[in-house]
Amino acid sequence: MASLRGIQQPELSKKLFKVIKSENHAIGAYESASRERISIAAQISDWGEATGDDSVSDVSDKIGVLLSEIGEQEDLYAQNLEDYRSVLKQIRNTESSVQPSRDNKAKITDEIQKLKYKEPQSTKLVQLEQELVRAEAQNLVAEAQTRQKFKEAYDIHSAAVIERAEKQILLSRHMRRLLQLLDDTPVVPGDVRPTFEHSAQARQILNDAEEDLREWQPSIDPVPSSATEMGTNLMPPSSTTGGQSIVDPSVAGGDEVPAQLESPVAEKRDVSGSTTVGQEVGAVPGEYSRQ
């Protein structure tokens, strides 16, 4: 059914349909990577315990916790990408709904040119020109919404990439602190390796990682938007054509702009939420259904 819907889309929205479908596969891959990373975290912890080496066992267990949290961040990234993908769907729907108006505009423009050539004094020209104004108004509304939603979509996307990168860097730095606690000095036959004495320090490193995640805040510049300056139907209040407002129903023959083009700016999801490190290794996050 998804493929059939893609075939039925107008050419412009069909291209975006392919993007949305490809993003669906990409998001699924990130969710799969999250599950695999959490599974690997549990496996490395089990391996460390099986070595019988107290130092390796303790450090590998703590590294497993951090790896598990890195996997959780991958899943959070997938959720944020789903929010971005939802905005792309809004653009696709707008493109689909306005296509008949674009086709009508081209048809009216052609009729006006023919009529001006054959009957330049025809009274029908006035009616056609009013219809052209209405069609142009609908197209301008769609263009305004497409630009606004495109900025919104990739604002969400880029913020999600930055959040994922910064949090994974944060966790990886604490992982390197753990590795510094492991003494890899060779032991000659007959000698006994010293007892691991950094358990409390290793535990503190996990606490530090948890606190850093909790206190993390996005440090990105906001993407400016002029959408708040738009009037009704996302049109600038001062936009006029021939002294008349291009969305004035009296000029457009009393017709309103399609309701699906009048939707307000969707509230953008906050991608700055943090999660907790101190959870059991091997916990698998829930999956998220998509269309």
Side-chain angles (χ1 to χ4, degrees):
M1 290 299 294
S3 297
L4 181 59
R5 286 198 301 271
I7 293 173
Q8 295 173 341
Q9 296 282 341
E11 186 60 32
L12 190 58
S13 58
K14 189 184 298 185
K15 293 180 182 296
L16 194 54
F17 179 88
K18 292 180 180 179
V19 173
I20 293 169
K21 187 174 181 180
S22 297
E23 285 289 5
N24 188 35
H25 295 314
I27 292 170
Y30 285 118
E31 290 176 339
S32 178
S34 171
R35 292 189 294 269
E36 291 296 330
R37 179 56 58 199
I38 293 172
S39 175
I40 291 170
Q43 293 171 31
I44 198 65
S45 180
D46 290 343
W47 168 82
E49 184 179 13
T51 62
D53 186 326
D54 291 342
S55 300
V56 173
S57 178
D58 199 328
V59 172
S60 66
D61 182 62
K62 303 299 188 296
I63 285 179
V65 173
L66 294 179
L67 286 174
S68 180
E69 184 58 34
I70 288 176
E72 294 286 359
Q73 293 303 318
E74 204 74 8
D75 187 66
L76 176 61
Y77 177 60
Q79 294 178 51
N80 291 332
L81 287 185
E82 186 58 51
D83 291 341
Y84 137 80
R85 182 171 171 267
S86 296
V87 180
L88 291 184
K89 289 181 179 180
Q90 295 177 41
I91 300 175
R92 178 200 62 193
N93 294 341
T94 297
E95 293 293 342
S96 296
S97 64
V98 81
Q99 189 60 46
S101 175
R102 287 174 174 162
D103 295 340
N104 187 45
K105 177 186 174 183
K107 180 181 177 181
I108 294 172
T109 301
D110 187 55
E111 289 181 3
I112 290 175
Q113 294 302 319
K114 290 180 179 179
L115 199 57
K116 283 183 176 180
Y117 178 75
K118 295 180 178 180
E119 303 177 50
Q121 302 301 322
S122 175
T123 55
K124 189 179 179 181
L125 277 173
V126 176
Q127 178 185 349
L128 289 175
E129 287 171 351
Q130 289 180 349
E131 291 179 4
L132 181 60
V133 169
R134 180 168 62 252
E136 287 176 342
Q138 293 173 347
N139 290 336
L140 287 172
V141 169
E143 290 174 6
Q145 189 169 33
T146 296
R147 290 188 179 195
Q148 173 226 330
K149 290 297 181 181
F150 180 77
K151 290 180 69 173
E152 180 184 347
Y154 282 92
D155 182 13
I156 295 173
H157 187 289
S158 58
V161 171
I162 292 171
E163 177 180 2
R164 168 176 172 253
E166 290 185 353
K167 287 185 175 180
Q168 290 189 347
I169 288 173
L170 181 155
L171 292 165
S172 297
R173 292 188 186 282
H174 287 295
M175 190 183 303
R176 295 178 70 82
R177 289 177 61 197
L178 283 170
L179 293 174
Q180 294 174 12
L181 302 179
L182 186 61
D183 183 9
D184 60 352
T185 304
V187 177
V188 299
D191 288 350
V192 178
R193 184 176 294 281
T195 304
F196 186 64
E197 300 178 350
H198 303 293
S199 295
Q201 191 174 351
R203 181 66 247 180
Q204 184 58 46
I205 290 175
L206 284 190
N207 292 339
D208 292 345
E210 180 177 353
E211 183 177 358
D212 286 349
L213 272 184
R214 186 168 53 248
E215 295 180 353
W216 180 88
Q217 293 292 332
S219 56
I220 55 178
D221 296 329
V223 176
S225 174
S226 300
T228 55
E229 301 174 9
M230 292 294 183
T232 305
N233 297 329
L234 299 178
M235 292 304 301
S238 60
S239 295
T240 58
T241 299
Q244 296 279 357
S245 170
I246 62 175
V247 292
D248 188 346
S250 64
V251 176
D255 289 345
E256 297 290 341
V257 174
Q260 59 266 42
L261 299 183
E262 300 177 8
S263 59
V265 179
E267 182 179 353
K268 197 183 82 169
R269 184 179 186 277
D270 181 9
V271 297
S272 62
S274 60
T275 53
T276 301
V277 174
Q279 57 184 318
E280 182 179 357
V281 176
V284 179
E287 296 189 33
Y288 303 88
S289 59
R290 299 187 303 278
Q291 295 181 353

